[in-house]
């Protein structure tokens, strides 16, 4: 598929760790659609992951940045503008981390230092990114900034822990900054709420396999995978969606509008045959 939807566009893509990452697929598709971009990730992920392989494949450079560091973000936008000889047109924020999830702290037993880190890295970093770009006037008119979210921002899903609070804040930042960036510089800001997806971050979610199965049964169109998410992101970076802003856009096969489906009900009925239903 080469429609050149992003021909001439320059961007910055956060969060490609390995070839499972949603950002990795987005970078591959953006490259196919004619975009040029800078890849970025936190130094430890650059060392542990395979981002340099992606950079080679897509003719891009890698500029390390901790998304929670204002200094790193300033440097990232400065280096990107130097590289392109001008402003960028799109930015993908595909960044999340929770030490409470990693260290298996229950939501009723949170470590608050970890919580602060979760919010800083997974949500406030989006504000920092937007504020840095805004102050440096680093994004062209009709540019597009997108962050990735999850339905746990609106609905309680067992096991999603403090990431639910981070996603709620992330979506709120998209609305609040979207107003200012749209009004003053004609830049749009949105979040995409993606189906559960088997990536490194995704596998941190408690019982991901069961969650994937449940949401697959609940969604009339089935779960959206990382490639499909990348396709949707391309449309949001393209000129075909210039008046979409301040939205949380569900890319989830219909899951967020469902209450119960036939497939999920049939599976649920089977559990009545069990002598013991595990309680946790
Ligand atoms: N996988 C899912 O089920 C799912 C569902 C909905 C939304 N999302 C969201 O999609 C986004 C991408 O996650 P993914 O599933 O592709 O997993 P992933 O593990 O491939 O990507 C997460 C990225 O965040 C980066 N990161 C962590 N701390 C950082 C920091 N301080 N600065 C910069 N980068 C940092 C990691 O290095 C990694 O590249 C996340 O926001 C995630 O919450 C994922």
């Amino acid at each position: 598929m080469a429609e050149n939807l992003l021909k001439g566009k320059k961007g910055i893509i956060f969060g490609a760790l390995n070839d499972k990452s949603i950002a990795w697929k987005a970078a591959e598709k953006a490259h196919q659609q004619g975009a040029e971009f800078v890849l970025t990730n936190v130094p430890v992920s650059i060392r542990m992951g395979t981002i340099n392989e992606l950079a080679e494949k897509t003719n891009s450079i890698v500029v390390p940045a901790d998304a929670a560091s204002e200094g790193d973000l300033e440097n990232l936008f400065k280096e990107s503008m130097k590289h392109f000889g001008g402003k960028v047109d799109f930015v993908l924020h595909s960044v999340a981390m929770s030490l409470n999830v990693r260290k298996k702290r229950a939501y009723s037993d949170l470590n608050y230092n970890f919580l602060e880190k979760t919010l800083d890295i997974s949500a406030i970093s989006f504000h920092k990114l937007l504020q840095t770009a805004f102050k440096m006037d680093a994004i062209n008119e009709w540019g597009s900034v997108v962050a990735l979210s999850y339905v746990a921002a609106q609905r309680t899903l067992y096991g999603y822990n403090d990431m639910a609070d981070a996603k709620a804040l992330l979506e709120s930042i998209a609305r609040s900054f979207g107003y200012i960036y749209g009004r003053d510089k004609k830049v749009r800001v949105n979040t995409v709420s993606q189906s559960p997806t088997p990536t490194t971050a995704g596998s941190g979610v408690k019982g991901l396999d069961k969650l994937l199965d449940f949401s697959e049964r609940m969604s009339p169109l089935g779960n959206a995978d990382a490639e499909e998410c990348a396709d949707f992101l391309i449309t949001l970076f393209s000129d075909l969606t210039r008046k979409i802003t301040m939205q949380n856009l569900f890319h989830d096969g219909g899951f967020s509008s469902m209450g119960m489906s036939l497939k999920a009900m049939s599976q649920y009925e089977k559990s009545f045959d069990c002598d013991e239903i595990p309680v946790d």
Side-chain angles (χ1 to χ4, degrees):
M1 243 207 299
E3 292 95 356
N4 276 329
L5 280 174
L6 302 184
K7 195 171 165 37
K9 298 220 181 280
K10 328 270 187 218
I12 300 177
I13 298 180
F14 285 73
L17 175 68
N18 53 36
D19 63 2
K20 304 252 176 330
S21 301
I22 296 169
W24 184 289
K25 309 285 183 204
E28 285 182 332
K29 302 251 178 199
H31 178 63
Q32 280 166 23
Q33 295 294 339
E36 288 173 72
F37 44 81
V38 167
L39 294 168
T40 182
N41 212 323
V42 72
V44 64
S45 296
I46 294 176
R47 283 197 303 277
M48 308 287 284
T50 50
I51 197 173
N52 288 315
E53 218 176 273
L54 178 66
E56 205 170 306
K57 250 172 64 170
T58 58
N59 251 332
S60 15
I61 59 164
V62 179
V63 178
D66 179 340
S69 155
E70 291 166 73
D72 283 7
L73 290 169
E74 253 177 62
N75 181 61
L76 171 65
F77 278 104
K78 198 179 92 214
E79 287 301 316
S80 302
M81 289 200 284
K82 198 161 95 191
H83 176 67
F84 295 129
K87 303 183 200 182
V88 303
D89 303 289
F90 66 90
V91 184
L92 175 63
H93 177 287
S94 188
V95 172
M97 208 281 299
S98 161
L99 284 176
N100 280 308
V101 170
R102 276 201 198 166
K103 309 237 184 239
K104 305 199 184 328
R105 298 289 297 243
Y107 189 70
S108 49
D109 181 35
L110 287 185
N111 174 309
Y112 292 115
N113 292 327
F114 294 171
L115 175 63
E116 276 177 26
K117 262 198 167 311
T118 300
L119 298 178
D120 196 23
I121 293 175
S122 311
I124 298 168
S125 65
F126 193 44
H127 190 284
K128 290 178 181 172
L129 178 168
L130 288 161
Q131 184 165 295
T132 305
F134 186 76
K135 286 188 178 169
M136 291 175 75
D137 197 14
I139 305 180
N140 281 316
E141 270 202 359
W142 302 110
S144 172
V145 186
V146 179
L148 285 164
S149 194
Y150 184 54
V151 66
Q154 291 82 23
R155 307 265 183 270
T156 298
L157 282 117
Y158 164 72
Y160 202 66
N161 212 316
D162 59 349
M163 278 303 301
D165 304 319
K167 292 306 189 192
L169 177 57
L170 181 82
E171 292 177 13
S172 175
I173 290 169
R175 284 186 295 273
S176 304
F177 222 117
Y179 164 60
I180 293 166
Y181 228 145
R183 181 194 67 193
D184 292 3
K185 304 208 189 264
K186 301 272 180 288
V187 169
R188 59 204 195 271
V189 183
N190 295 291
T191 50
V192 166
S193 185
Q194 164 68 6
S195 295
T197 314
T199 61
T200 305
S203 27
V205 177
K206 205 169 184 176
L208 180 75
D209 284 357
K210 291 177 196 107
L211 181 65
L212 279 165
D213 182 80
F214 173 68
S215 69
E216 175 73 22
R217 286 175 202 278
M218 282 289 280
S219 314
L221 300 180
N223 288 332
D225 67 20
E227 293 258 348
E228 289 163 329
C229 184
D231 282 333
F232 184 43
L233 292 169
I234 298 301
T235 68
L236 292 174
F237 297 145
S238 82
D239 287 333
L240 300 176
T241 53
R242 281 159 52 124
K243 290 285 170 77
I244 297 180
T245 196
M246 302 164 68
Q247 300 300 314
N248 178 50
L249 302 156
F250 287 102
H251 183 256
D252 65 356
F255 178 87
S256 48
S257 290
M258 289 298 300
M260 179 50 93
S261 71
L262 175 60
K263 278 187 183 167
M265 181 63 93
S266 313
Q267 185 60 24
Y268 181 67
E269 275 167 2
K270 287 183 198 160
S271 73
F272 291 128
D273 300 336
C274 299
D275 291 340
E276 271 181 41
I277 298 170
V279 181
D280 186 313

